[in-house]
């Protein structure tokens, strides 16, 4: 314990940074564990589409969407979702909805917004479309 106190007194910036990182990791772990939105894999996505008629929501820009997207995906930007422009999705509130982005890092917030709008089964695709195309899974171009 004496060595820890000596280290803290000799390196206060490193000690504060370490405590900050520890708090951030604990916070993110608790937030993920208590979130109603769960990450799913590519195989889980395929299973949900085939067995439960899931809806895929692609949050990338329209240009990125046209370059390649999952069959049947609906293109809604995070701004559309945040503003409540969900007319195209309203009829799917009780079906599984999978939200994806380019690489799996920015789809969580739009997915949380869908939960707040009353969607009951909302998921995000782990690694986003880059993970999907990285496994050579089918994409549709255009539209």
């Amino acid at each position: 314990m004496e060595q820890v106190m000596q280290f803290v007194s000799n390196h206060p910036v490193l000690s504060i940074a370490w405590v900050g990182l520890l708090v951030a990791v604990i916070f993110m772990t608790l937030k993920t564990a208590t979130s109603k939105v769960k990450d799913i894999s590519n195989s889980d996505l395929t299973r949900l589409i085939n067995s439960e008629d899931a809806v895929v929501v692609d949050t990338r820009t329209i240009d990125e969407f046209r370059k390649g997207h999952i069959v049947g995906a609906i293109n809604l930007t995070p701004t559309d979702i945040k503003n409540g422009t969900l007319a195209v999705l309203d009829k799917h509130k009780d079906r599984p909805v999978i939200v994806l982005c380019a690489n799996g890092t920015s789809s969580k917030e739009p997915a949380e917004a869908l939960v707040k709008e009353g969607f009951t089964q909302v998921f995000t695709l782990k690694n986003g479309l880059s993970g999907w195309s990285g496994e050579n899974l089918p994409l549709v171009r255009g539209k």
Side-chain angles (χ1 to χ4, degrees):
M1 185 68 172
E2 187 176 316
Q3 291 176 339
V4 171
M5 296 308 292
Q6 184 179 6
F7 180 85
V8 169
S9 64
N10 290 337
H11 307 285
V13 174
L14 283 176
S15 300
I16 291 170
W18 185 85
V19 169
L21 287 172
L22 179 64
V23 168
V25 166
I26 291 170
F27 174 76
M28 291 304 295
T29 302
L30 289 174
K31 185 177 177 183
T32 301
T34 59
S35 175
K36 292 183 180 178
V37 176
K38 301 297 180 196
D39 285 339
I40 61 170
S41 67
N42 294 332
S43 59
D44 291 333
L45 170 61
T46 304
R47 182 187 54 77
L48 284 171
I49 289 172
N50 291 334
S51 66
E52 297 184 39
D53 203 23
V55 178
V56 177
V57 176
D58 192 323
T59 61
R60 298 172 303 139
T61 65
I62 190 70
D63 291 334
E64 292 172 322
F65 184 78
R66 286 182 179 147
K67 289 179 184 175
H69 58 273
I70 295 174
V71 176
I74 298 169
N75 185 232
L76 287 173
T77 64
T79 306
D80 293 336
I81 294 170
K82 185 178 179 183
N83 293 338
T85 314
L86 304 172
V88 71
L89 275 183
D90 280 340
K91 60 186 172 197
H92 306 298
K93 279 195 174 189
D94 293 326
R95 289 171 40 195
V97 176
I98 298 95
V99 181
L100 65 93
C101 59
N103 55 18
T105 57
S106 62
S107 57
K108 195 67 128 179
E109 189 176 321
E112 294 283 354
L114 288 176
V115 169
K116 288 179 184 173
E117 290 291 329
F119 289 83
T120 56
Q121 301 177 64
V122 182
F123 305 92
T124 56
L125 182 62
K126 188 177 183 178
N127 300 321
L129 196 70
S130 64
W132 180 268
S133 61
E135 290 188 18
N136 292 320
L137 294 166
L139 293 175
V140 177
R141 306 214 187 280
K143 293 186 182 181

